[in-house]
Short mmCIF file of all heavy atoms in Angstrom, two decimals:
data_model
loop_
_atom_site.label_atom_id
_atom_site.label_comp_id
_atom_site.label_asym_id
_atom_site.label_seq_id
_atom_site.Cartn_x
_atom_site.Cartn_y
_atom_site.Cartn_z
N MET A 9 121.75 132.74 39.66
CA MET A 9 121.75 133.59 38.50
C MET A 9 122.00 135.03 38.93
O MET A 9 121.16 135.63 39.58
CB MET A 9 120.40 133.51 37.80
CG MET A 9 120.06 132.17 37.28
SD MET A 9 120.14 132.26 35.52
CE MET A 9 118.71 131.36 35.09
N GLY A 12 124.08 141.88 36.62
CA GLY A 12 124.97 142.99 36.91
C GLY A 12 124.51 144.29 36.30
O GLY A 12 123.92 144.31 35.21
N GLY A 23 126.08 161.76 39.21
CA GLY A 23 125.92 161.70 40.66
C GLY A 23 124.48 161.52 41.11
O GLY A 23 124.22 161.11 42.24
N GLU A 24 123.54 161.83 40.24
CA GLU A 24 122.12 161.68 40.57
C GLU A 24 121.65 160.29 40.17
O GLU A 24 122.06 159.77 39.13
CB GLU A 24 121.29 162.74 39.86
CG GLU A 24 121.58 164.15 40.32
CD GLU A 24 121.32 164.34 41.81
OE1 GLU A 24 120.27 163.87 42.29
OE2 GLU A 24 122.17 164.95 42.47
N PRO A 27 116.62 157.10 37.86
CA PRO A 27 115.44 156.48 38.49
C PRO A 27 114.95 155.22 37.78
O PRO A 27 114.51 154.27 38.42
CB PRO A 27 114.39 157.58 38.47
CG PRO A 27 114.83 158.55 37.45
CD PRO A 27 116.33 158.45 37.38
N VAL A 28 115.07 155.20 36.47
CA VAL A 28 114.60 154.04 35.71
C VAL A 28 115.47 152.82 36.02
O VAL A 28 114.96 151.74 36.30
CB VAL A 28 114.62 154.37 34.20
CG1 VAL A 28 114.32 153.15 33.37
CG2 VAL A 28 113.63 155.48 33.90
N GLU A 52 141.25 150.13 44.26
CA GLU A 52 142.18 150.96 45.03
C GLU A 52 141.80 152.44 44.99
O GLU A 52 142.11 153.19 45.90
CB GLU A 52 143.60 150.75 44.53
CG GLU A 52 144.10 149.34 44.77
CD GLU A 52 145.35 149.01 43.99
OE1 GLU A 52 145.89 149.90 43.29
OE2 GLU A 52 145.79 147.85 44.08
N TRP A 58 143.16 157.64 48.69
CA TRP A 58 143.44 157.86 47.27
C TRP A 58 142.55 158.93 46.69
O TRP A 58 143.03 159.88 46.07
CB TRP A 58 143.26 156.55 46.48
CG TRP A 58 143.71 156.70 45.06
CD1 TRP A 58 144.94 156.42 44.57
CD2 TRP A 58 142.94 157.21 43.96
NE1 TRP A 58 144.99 156.72 43.21
CE2 TRP A 58 143.77 157.21 42.82
CE3 TRP A 58 141.64 157.67 43.82
CZ2 TRP A 58 143.34 157.65 41.57
CZ3 TRP A 58 141.21 158.11 42.57
CH2 TRP A 58 142.05 158.10 41.47
N GLU A 81 126.40 144.16 46.24
CA GLU A 81 127.81 143.82 46.18
C GLU A 81 128.41 144.54 44.98
O GLU A 81 127.74 144.71 43.95
CB GLU A 81 127.98 142.31 46.01
CG GLU A 81 129.41 141.88 45.89
CD GLU A 81 129.54 140.39 45.61
OE1 GLU A 81 128.56 139.65 45.78
OE2 GLU A 81 130.64 139.98 45.21
N ASP A 104 124.43 148.02 30.82
CA ASP A 104 125.59 148.91 30.77
C ASP A 104 125.37 149.97 29.70
O ASP A 104 124.74 149.70 28.67
CB ASP A 104 126.84 148.09 30.43
CG ASP A 104 128.13 148.76 30.86
OD1 ASP A 104 128.36 149.93 30.46
OD2 ASP A 104 128.92 148.13 31.58
N ASN A 105 125.89 151.17 29.92
CA ASN A 105 125.79 152.24 28.93
C ASN A 105 126.85 152.12 27.84
O ASN A 105 126.76 152.78 26.83
CB ASN A 105 125.90 153.61 29.61
CG ASN A 105 127.30 153.84 30.16
OD1 ASN A 105 127.78 153.07 30.98
ND2 ASN A 105 127.95 154.89 29.71
N PRO A 107 128.49 150.51 24.73
CA PRO A 107 128.23 149.55 23.66
C PRO A 107 129.32 148.47 23.56
O PRO A 107 129.03 147.32 23.26
CB PRO A 107 128.22 150.41 22.39
CG PRO A 107 128.03 151.81 22.85
CD PRO A 107 128.59 151.88 24.24
N THR A 110 128.53 145.82 26.31
CA THR A 110 127.37 144.98 26.03
C THR A 110 127.66 144.05 24.85
O THR A 110 127.25 142.89 24.86
CB THR A 110 126.11 145.82 25.77
OG1 THR A 110 126.35 146.76 24.72
CG2 THR A 110 125.69 146.56 27.04
N GLY A 127 124.83 157.74 23.83
CA GLY A 127 125.12 158.50 25.04
C GLY A 127 123.89 159.06 25.73
O GLY A 127 124.00 159.68 26.79
N LEU A 130 118.23 155.69 27.97
CA LEU A 130 116.94 155.25 27.43
C LEU A 130 115.90 155.14 28.52
O LEU A 130 116.20 154.88 29.67
CB LEU A 130 117.09 153.89 26.77
CG LEU A 130 117.97 153.86 25.54
CD1 LEU A 130 118.15 152.43 25.08
CD2 LEU A 130 117.34 154.68 24.44
N VAL A 150 116.46 150.81 21.57
CA VAL A 150 117.83 150.37 21.40
C VAL A 150 118.02 149.77 20.02
O VAL A 150 118.93 150.12 19.29
CB VAL A 150 118.22 149.33 22.48
CG1 VAL A 150 119.64 148.85 22.25
CG2 VAL A 150 118.12 149.96 23.85
N TYR A 151 117.16 148.86 19.66
CA TYR A 151 117.25 148.21 18.36
C TYR A 151 115.96 148.44 17.56
O TYR A 151 115.56 147.59 16.78
CB TYR A 151 117.49 146.71 18.52
CG TYR A 151 118.75 146.40 19.27
CD1 TYR A 151 118.71 145.83 20.53
CD2 TYR A 151 119.99 146.71 18.72
CE1 TYR A 151 119.87 145.56 21.22
CE2 TYR A 151 121.15 146.45 19.41
CZ TYR A 151 121.09 145.87 20.65
OH TYR A 151 122.23 145.61 21.34
N ARG A 154 113.36 145.59 17.82
CA ARG A 154 114.02 144.34 18.19
C ARG A 154 114.16 144.21 19.70
O ARG A 154 114.36 145.18 20.39
CB ARG A 154 115.39 144.23 17.53
CG ARG A 154 115.29 144.17 16.03
CD ARG A 154 116.66 143.93 15.40
NE ARG A 154 116.53 143.78 13.97
CZ ARG A 154 116.35 142.61 13.37
NH1 ARG A 154 116.31 141.52 14.07
NH2 ARG A 154 116.24 142.56 12.07
N CYS A 155 114.07 142.97 20.16
CA CYS A 155 114.26 142.67 21.59
C CYS A 155 115.71 142.98 21.96
O CYS A 155 116.64 142.60 21.26
CB CYS A 155 113.96 141.18 21.83
SG CYS A 155 114.38 140.60 23.48
N CYS A 158 117.65 139.34 22.80
CA CYS A 158 118.00 138.34 21.76
C CYS A 158 117.99 138.93 20.36
O CYS A 158 118.33 138.25 19.41
CB CYS A 158 117.07 137.14 21.84
SG CYS A 158 115.39 137.47 21.28
#
Side-chain angles (χ1 to χ4, degrees):
M9 298 250 223
E24 295 300 315
V28 172
E52 295 166 3
W58 187 93
E81 178 185 346
D104 202 305
N105 68 302
T110 56
L130 294 174
V150 178
Y151 301 112
R154 295 185 176 269
C155 171
C158 72

